[in-house]
Amino acid sequence: WNARQAAAIQAVDDFDAASAKVAADPSAFTRSEMTKLFEQSVGGDVLQRNVESFMSMRDKGYREVGTRTAVFTQATREVNDGQGVEVHVTRCWDQRELTVVNADGATVGQAKGDEGYAYPDYNLRQYTVLRTAGESTFRVFGVQTINGSCP
């Protein structure tokens, strides 16, 4: 990878590290603290959606236990459309050791309304990572699960 691709991948790594930190104990963070932590590596709508998601976990007394492991990471060549440098990072996550539990430690994700907390064994995600014009760092501005082989 070139320096810009590596910096974009680092933004994804930083986003994942922040997510893992908050997810391990959402109740330990206020909305403001979550926002401050995520805004270092995330921007745009992704920032708000991420904070809202973790606030919902916090309100339900949920937390993640275990780990997710990157199986592979790919980065596109950077594109500059005049608004900044954009790189798409695709990562396959092995989530077999990651679950969401309630305050009693019981696994959640099977009840109606909680289906989003039943994680698949593998998750192929694409991150839109952007260094906007006038900024020196890359941040994640888009995240989506995509179709494809993982692993």
Side-chain angles (χ1 to χ4, degrees), residues 34 41 43 45 48 61 112 124:
M34 286 183 200
S41 58
D45 293 341
Q48 183 65 26
K112 185 171 174 68
L124 186 61

Side-chain angles (χ1 to χ4, degrees), residues 8 23 27-28 38 43 74 84 111 116 131:
S27 67
F38 283 115
Q74 299 171 333
R131 185 184 70 204

Side-chain angles (χ1 to χ4, degrees), residues 56-135:
S56 178
M57 280 183 78
R58 186 184 88 159
D59 293 346
K60 293 178 179 186
Y62 293 176
R63 61 186 169 84
E64 286 183 355
V65 294
T67 59
R68 92 180 75 210
T69 305
V71 176
F72 67 78
T73 302
Q74 299 171 333
T76 63
R77 296 179 73 178
E78 68 271 9
V79 175
N80 189 338
D81 63 0
Q83 296 185 27
V85 177
E86 183 175 312
V87 176
H88 291 262
V89 176
T90 303
R91 180 166 284 166
C92 172
W93 290 107
D94 178 343
Q95 302 181 137
R96 292 175 293 174
E97 301 299 320
L98 185 67
T99 58
V100 177
V101 298
N102 63 20
D104 296 327
T107 300
V108 300
Q110 304 306 316
K112 185 171 174 68
D114 277 354
E115 297 90 348
Y117 296 111
Y119 298 157
D121 287 347
Y122 294 93
N123 189 3
L124 186 61
R125 303 200 86 184
Q126 186 174 70
Y127 302 82
T128 301
V129 189
L130 182 65
R131 185 184 70 204
T132 57
E135 298 222 356

